[in-house]
Amino acid sequence: MIIAIDFVFLPDYYFTQSYTQLMNALGRHILVEFYNCSPELMNDVVHIENSMVAAAETAGATVINSTFHHFSPYGVSGVVVIQESHLAIHTWPEFGYAAVDLFTCGDSVDPWVSYNYLKDAFEASHGSAMECRRGQLDLLKRNDFNLESLRDVSPQPQEKLGTITRDVWFTERDENIALSLKHTGNQLYKKDSPYQRVEVYETLAYGNLLTLDGMVMCTQKDEYVYHEMITHVPMFSNPKAKRALVIGGGDGGTVRELLRYEQLEEVTLVEIDELVIEACKLHLPETAVAFDNPRLNLLVEDGIKYIKECADERYDLIIVDSADPVGPGEGLFTAEFYQEVYRCLTKDGIMITQSESPRFNSAVFVEIYDTYKQIFGAEKVHCYLAAIPTYPTGTWSFSYSSKGEAHPLTFDVNGAAAFSKAQGLKYYNEDIHMAAFALPNFVKELLNAKPGQVTNEYSAEPTA
Ligand code: SAM
């Protein structure tokens, strides 16, 4: 048994038996405690996974695969399987503490190299470690049996030399519901803006994924659903629209769709966070493609301030392409804000908002529709749905509120069919335009409910 403790002056210091005595065993197992680590890093699954894989490789180990999971609200667990056994970790960010297991067999790998690598990687002020010999040979009796009979002869998938299967998952977790997406372990973008954390992951199933404060905003593989439905439904039921305003929408998908309409004389995008635009230009280029369009009036400012200072009746269409009602976007879900939107719409203007999921958080859904109705009039407010796989519950809603006589189902059906075909749209067409307004009974019930009336019956998340 070897005990190593970083003393107050923090030099690594430990007693050890001779190497051969040590190696009179099948393996070396170092149980490590790292203290005063950066809580930030202790909650960063990508950093931890990358560090553990690098710590193994630096010590000369051959990495087979890695599996890491991010817990809610915080904490990471994971294991790196190496040819010479494994490295494992569990973190408590709230204590700045990590419990690490370094287990190696054979003499080609020195686990203390991994120890030092991780101590630096986790910015630990000090650590303590205990080394145990596992499988002491003088206590083991070798059974002579035909090893060949154990050999697994089934054909193994040809893995590219040097490739390791890394099993790293991004998880957006709410109270009772979560979505996990496997990614390559490489974080393409991670910056903190004054408003939020902006991150891009390289997922295996959905391409690059944009998250804000850990919430899914859009992925390359399904963003078109959201962006086509939030634009083409209002544009085809308001063909005379000349001026459109988008508040939020910093990924660029909504203005990409709007700029397909030559008749639009002005398309203004007001996004509060320039880092969102930067991240999407770099890693979601198909979504950000319209940022260089000369017809786009791109403003980086707070949409709440912009709408307050905007002239009356300036826009035919105002799309509120916000994130969830938290952080900088909270103010985009208030009656004051919607009242201002109403003022800035022309007589026949339309307001479209992403209105959350009736299933995910019914209470918010009921509240915002109640507010729309108070401002636009109950008969002028409509809800439509779309299936977005990477959004919580997969069912998302949009609100359609008209200041004038525009009605979502009064639209040029043939025009929509031809446009969808000509533009190569992947979700929107004349049938889905109509079908999206065919609502299930529970949604109709929620739309007629008053705030506070909602039971937990429909909501995936707690309503109270
Ligand atoms: N499709 C996404 C969803 O449903 O969650 C939303 C996409 S878009 C990325 C949301 C954008 O709204 C973000 O880029 C965020 O920075 C922006 N935003 C939040 N609050 C804002 C505000 N007050 N003014 C302008 N933009 C804002």
Side-chain angles (χ1 to χ4, degrees):
M1 170 81 71
I2 301 198
I3 303 241
I5 296 178
D6 287 347
F7 286 107
V8 179
F9 52 87
L10 305 182
D12 288 353
Y13 165 85
Y14 57 89
F15 308 98
T16 183
Q17 290 172 317
S18 70
Y19 191 73
T20 43
Q21 279 172 318
L22 245 182
M23 284 327 301
N24 182 25
L26 295 174
R28 306 170 69 180
H29 194 170
I30 304 181
L31 302 173
V32 179
E33 319 266 281
F34 283 132
Y35 302 104
N36 294 345
C37 304
S38 134
E40 185 67 34
L41 293 179
M42 287 301 97
N43 199 37
D44 183 335
V45 65
V46 172
H47 175 78
I48 291 171
E49 192 268 349
N50 288 348
S51 306
M52 293 286 282
V53 169
E57 288 171 341
T58 311
T62 307
V63 176
I64 308 288
N65 74 28
S66 71
T67 297
F68 280 72
H69 203 81
H70 190 214
F71 289 95
S72 169
Y74 37 69
V76 170
S77 230
V79 61
V80 177
V81 178
I82 55 178
Q83 210 149 293
E84 304 79 2
S85 186
H86 70 269
L87 286 67
I89 187 168
H90 191 79
T91 70
W92 284 262
E94 68 276 32
F95 296 112
Y97 166 69
V100 177
D101 275 20
L102 307 172
F103 193 134
T104 62
C105 48
D107 51 16
S108 60
V109 175
D110 177 356
W112 288 104
V113 172
S114 304
Y115 172 91
N116 291 319
Y117 185 98
L118 292 172
K119 184 162 169 275
D120 296 343
F122 300 156
E123 298 172 5
S125 67
H126 63 290
S128 69
M130 187 165 55
E131 177 163 356
C132 322
R133 286 180 301 159
R134 306 300 298 273
Q136 294 170 52
L137 290 171
D138 45 15
L139 300 176
L140 298 172
K141 191 170 136 321
R142 188 178 192 87
N143 307 326
D144 47 13
F145 58 85
N146 163 4
L147 260 182
E148 277 313 307
S149 65
L150 282 185
R151 205 168 291 289
D152 170 359
V153 290
S154 59
Q156 299 295 322
Q158 283 312 307
E159 287 190 9
K160 224 161 65 262
L161 202 58
T163 58
I164 61 171
T165 48
R166 299 167 82 175
D167 221 0
V168 193
W169 297 78
F170 161 84
T171 299
E172 177 182 344
R173 187 178 297 252
D174 295 283
E175 200 71 30
N176 309 327
I177 206 168
L179 170 91
S180 290
L181 291 171
K182 194 171 177 180
H183 62 89
T184 60
N186 307 329
Q187 184 141 33
L188 302 177
Y189 189 96
K190 179 180 181 175
K191 286 189 186 173
D192 289 335
S193 78
Y195 311 102
Q196 56 211 345
R197 164 155 298 177
V198 182
E199 296 173 280
V200 178
Y201 294 86
E202 191 182 11
T203 77
L204 300 177
Y206 281 92
N208 293 348
L209 156 71
L210 171 72
T211 69
L212 298 180
D213 285 344
M215 292 177 283
V216 172
M217 288 299 119
C218 60
T219 77
Q220 286 177 310
K221 289 272 178 68
D222 69 356
E223 56 82 9
Y224 58 82
V225 181
Y226 178 98
H227 293 124
E228 289 181 13
M229 290 305 277
I230 205 168
T231 50
H232 303 312
V233 167
M235 284 304 293
F236 266 92
S237 54
N238 186 9
K240 293 202 220 64
K242 291 273 181 281
R243 277 201 275 256
L245 167 67
V246 177
I247 294 183
D251 51 65
T254 300
V255 290
R256 175 195 65 204
E257 296 305 315
L258 280 175
L259 288 161
R260 292 179 192 273
Y261 295 86
E262 293 306 326
Q263 98 235 19
L264 282 175
E265 293 160 6
E266 176 197 333
V267 175
T268 294
L269 172 66
V270 180
E271 162 59 51
I272 198 169
D273 193 338
E274 62 192 344
L275 292 190
V276 174
I277 297 170
E278 177 188 276
C280 293
K281 278 185 173 174
L282 289 170
H283 302 295
L284 286 93
E286 315 78 14
T287 313
V289 66
F291 281 132
D292 306 324
N293 186 313
R295 290 171 53 216
L296 176 63
N297 175 24
L298 174 57
L299 305 173
V300 176
E301 69 176 85
D302 184 346
I304 299 162
K305 177 171 169 295
Y306 180 84
I307 205 77
K308 267 211 187 85
E309 294 161 3
C310 175
D312 294 3
E313 302 196 7
R314 176 166 174 69
Y315 290 103
D316 305 299
L317 173 60
I318 297 179
I319 297 177
V320 185
D321 179 359
S322 66
D324 300 322
V326 290
E330 200 166 350
L332 302 176
F333 288 78
T334 61
E336 295 73 38
F337 173 75
Y338 296 130
Q339 198 69 57
E340 289 292 340
V341 170
Y342 185 89
R343 176 184 62 75
C344 299
L345 283 171
T346 55
K347 290 191 177 30
D348 290 326
I350 296 169
M351 175 183 82
I352 299 288
T353 71
Q354 72 85 359
S355 53
E356 301 288 315
S357 161
R359 176 74 77 204
F360 173 57
N361 197 330
S362 311
V364 171
F365 182 82
V366 167
E367 211 169 304
I368 50 182
Y369 273 87
D370 184 62
T371 310
Y372 301 149
K373 290 177 186 167
Q374 288 175 34
I375 294 170
F376 286 83
E379 71 298 340
K380 297 290 180 74
V381 175
H382 311 270
C383 170
Y384 60 108
L385 304 177
I388 305 178
T390 58
Y391 279 14
T393 75
T395 304
W396 212 249
S397 78
F398 302 91
S399 74
Y400 179 114
S401 305
S402 52
K403 188 172 176 179
E405 296 319 311
H407 188 285
L409 296 180
T410 310
F411 71 104
D412 172 4
V413 176
N414 298 334
F419 180 89
S420 170
K421 207 153 179 299
Q423 297 287 335
L425 301 184
K426 290 186 270 191
Y427 192 88
Y428 176 85
N429 60 38
E430 70 285 8
D431 300 327
I432 209 83
H433 182 136
M434 288 186 261
F437 290 87
L439 303 175
N441 292 344
F442 86 93
V443 176
K444 289 181 181 170
E445 200 180 319
L446 290 171
L447 288 171
N448 296 323
K450 278 287 171 211
Q453 263 178 338
V454 175
T455 65
N456 272 333
E457 185 184 353
Y458 299 129
S459 189
E461 291 293 290
T463 55

